[in-house]
């Protein structure tokens, strides 16, 4: 069997003396599209940074290949003298000191990454003058240029309009299938991802649960994860997760035992 693209076991992260994440365990099969979902402040970015080795953590993290990373939207001045293709080229060796010499191989790699995200038409434009959707394509190309097996994206849909959101989601799904590349995409709203997600990694209360959407996004499952009653409402093809008013009391000892057992659950 194929080695998973990413396997996390008993991950815990503390920051400023506070435990942000605890007992996180999950695995992503190769070629899977997984949404990393949770409210603002739930620890989604912390989890991505721990996977990248940017935060001290305990537990075990094993990636089956090279990782590409798209950070949260960065602020770029319109007059920044960096073209889209120059920014993508930084993904080849921007972590090294100095400037790389031009070469046919470098130009071919950059052109291939821009073509993969359908950004050839604005490759010569200054990146700070591109629209939000165009900038997001360039950021993805920057992460793709070294041909990763796993792509991590931190809130790539934030501040995009409905059309740009749908286009970016479709683009990522296509790349996932064509390259057999696994995608872990962080978002606070799961609805734009529902048509494309193979799995969902839902984070709340410092804990997480991972599995198929239909098995994770359920009232009884999310109530255990949050530690209080949650209602999952489906209407007009959308899913709403809201705090309920009754029926789940975390003070109850039997209930708390169930919650503790659900620190992280991987649902097959």
């Amino acid at each position: 069997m194929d080695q998973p693209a990413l396997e996390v076991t008993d991950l815990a992260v503390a920051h400023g003396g506070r435990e942000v994440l605890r007992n996180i365990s999950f695995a992503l099969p190769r070629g899977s599209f997984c949404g990393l979902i949770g409210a603002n402040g739930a620890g989604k970015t912390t989890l991505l940074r721990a996977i990248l080795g940017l935060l001290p953590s305990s537990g075990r993290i094993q990636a089956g290949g090279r990782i590409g990373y798209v950070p949260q939207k960065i602020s770029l001045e319109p007059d920044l003298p960096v073209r889209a293709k120059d920014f993508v080229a930084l993904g080849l060796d921007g972590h090294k000191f100095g400037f790389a010499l031009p070469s046919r191989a470098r130009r071919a790699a950059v052109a291939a990454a821009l073509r993969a995200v359908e950004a050839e038409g604005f490759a010569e434009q200054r990146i700070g003058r591109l629209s939000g959707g165009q900038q997001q394509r360039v950021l993805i190309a920057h992460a793709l240029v070294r041909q990763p097996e796993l792509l991590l994206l931190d809130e790539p849909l934030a501040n995009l309009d409905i059309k740009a959101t749908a286009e970016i989601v479709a683009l990522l799904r296509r790349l996932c299938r064509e390259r057999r590349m696994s995608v872990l995409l962080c978002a606070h709203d799961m609805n734009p991802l529902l048509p494309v997600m193979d799995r969902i990694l839902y984070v709340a209360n410092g804990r997480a649960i991972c599995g198929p959407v239909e098995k994770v996004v359920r009232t009884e499952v999310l109530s255990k994860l949050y530690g209080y009653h949650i209602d999952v409402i489906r209407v007009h093809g959308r899913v709403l997760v809201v705090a309920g008013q009754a029926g789940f009391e975390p003070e109850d000892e039997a209930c708390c035992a169930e919650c503790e057992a659900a620190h992280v659950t991987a649902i097959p």
Side-chain angles (χ1 to χ4, degrees), residues 70-97:
V70 179
Q72 289 185 358
K73 189 178 186 301
I74 57 178
S75 179
L76 298 165
E77 293 295 329
D79 294 326
L80 182 70
V82 176
R83 297 171 296 180
K85 69 177 186 181
D86 300 326
F87 187 85
V88 173
L90 292 174
L92 285 170
D93 46 26
H95 60 290
K96 299 178 182 178
F97 182 77

Side-chain angles (χ1 to χ4, degrees), residues 197-220:
M197 279 191 295
D198 302 307
R199 302 175 73 78
I200 187 169
L201 178 61
Y202 203 108
V203 181
N205 196 28
R207 306 178 295 187
I209 188 165
C210 184
V213 177
E214 64 275 10
K215 292 187 178 182
V216 171
V217 187
R218 297 163 54 191
T219 292
E220 63 273 21

Side-chain angles (χ1 to χ4, degrees), residues 133-194:
Q134 290 173 332
Q135 285 187 3
Q136 197 56 242
R137 289 175 184 268
V138 174
L139 289 171
I140 295 170
H142 175 273
L144 289 178
V145 72
R146 297 184 68 231
Q147 300 183 0
E149 286 80 18
L150 171 64
L151 183 62
L152 308 179
L153 303 102
D154 194 356
E155 296 282 1
L157 308 180
N159 304 314
L160 298 184
D161 60 28
I162 294 175
K163 180 175 182 293
T165 293
E167 290 174 348
I168 292 298
V169 170
L171 166 66
L172 290 168
R173 184 54 177 165
R174 174 176 61 78
L175 292 170
C176 181
R177 288 174 172 170
E178 290 178 355
R179 299 184 174 217
R180 201 163 178 257
M181 175 184 68
S182 298
V183 171
L184 181 58
L185 188 156
C186 169
H188 65 273
D189 181 7
M190 74 181 82
N191 285 288
L193 304 177
L194 287 176

